[in-house]
Amino acid sequence: MIKKIIIALSLLPCFCIAQSDTKMVVMQMQNGKIYFDNAYSLNVSLKKDELFNRAANWLKGAFQYPDKSIDVTDSKKGEVAGTGVFKIITSEAGHYYWLKFTVNIVVHNATYELKLHDFYEKPIEPGISNEYSKIEYRWWDYRQGKPWSPEDKPLFEGMSKDLNEMMASLQAAMSK
């Protein structure tokens, strides 16, 4: 009996260490899907036309990868929309994912709203179909503790990091 207790106590630190990496990846969601919808207030002297030009210029240079686009530029509505693309490296073996999503910016006097939605991922690694697919199922399983692969954690951490940096970049461009 004492041997069992000693063995159990000696294994206890292993269980604690295994759970030391519990950092959660946080994504904004709507209806179970990754969906960012942020509104920003700016200097009251900034007018819609100036903010529209800033948003359009920002979107032109925000993404350096293929498949990026600007699909809508409607100055009357104050809307700039397109496709954003990130390359997220997920392993030292060189595996990576393309992350593609819709970017929608609507400007008003002294404010703008940013919406990011319709996220797709495309794995680039041997033995996997290299097609774009919606990321929601993978994200759902990851949040439930059932990742599809060891690369899910770096994928979602990289996604969170890149999206936060992108939003900060837009905020800097809009408020200068």
Side-chain angles (χ1 to χ4, degrees), residues 47-82:
K47 301 299 177 204
K48 181 178 176 180
D49 291 337
E50 173 64 24
L51 292 176
F52 175 81
N53 290 332
R54 288 181 186 185
N57 287 334
W58 176 83
L59 189 55
K60 286 177 189 172
F63 304 99
Q64 61 183 358
Y65 297 110
D67 295 335
K68 69 178 180 175
S69 69
I70 296 180
D71 303 324
V72 175
T73 53
D74 187 336
S75 61
K76 289 183 182 178
K77 290 183 180 179
E79 181 178 13
V80 178

Side-chain angles (χ1 to χ4, degrees), residues 113-128:
E113 183 178 13
L114 171 67
K115 294 181 183 182
L116 307 174
H117 54 92
D118 294 332
F119 286 85
Y120 290 85
E121 48 92 8
K122 177 180 174 180
I124 306 298
E125 61 183 273
I128 293 184

Side-chain angles (χ1 to χ4, degrees), residues 139-154:
W139 174 238
W140 171 263
D141 286 348
Y142 178 78
R143 287 188 350 224
Q144 302 305 311
K146 301 174 186 170
W148 293 8
S149 81
E151 295 183 357
D152 281 6
K153 182 177 180 180

Side-chain angles (χ1 to χ4, degrees), residues 80-133:
V80 178
T83 303
V85 179
F86 288 128
K87 179 180 180 181
I88 301 173
I89 298 172
T90 56
S91 76
E92 292 181 15
H95 302 165
Y96 61 93
Y97 285 73
W98 289 114
L99 180 69
K100 181 168 68 169
F101 53 96
T102 299
V103 177
N104 185 274
I105 306 166
V106 179
V107 300
H108 306 282
N109 289 329
T111 66
Y112 70 97
E113 183 178 13
L114 171 67
K115 294 181 183 182
L116 307 174
H117 54 92
D118 294 332
F119 286 85
Y120 290 85
E121 48 92 8
K122 177 180 174 180
I124 306 298
E125 61 183 273
I128 293 184
S129 168
N130 293 332
E131 300 295 324
Y132 276 105
S133 62

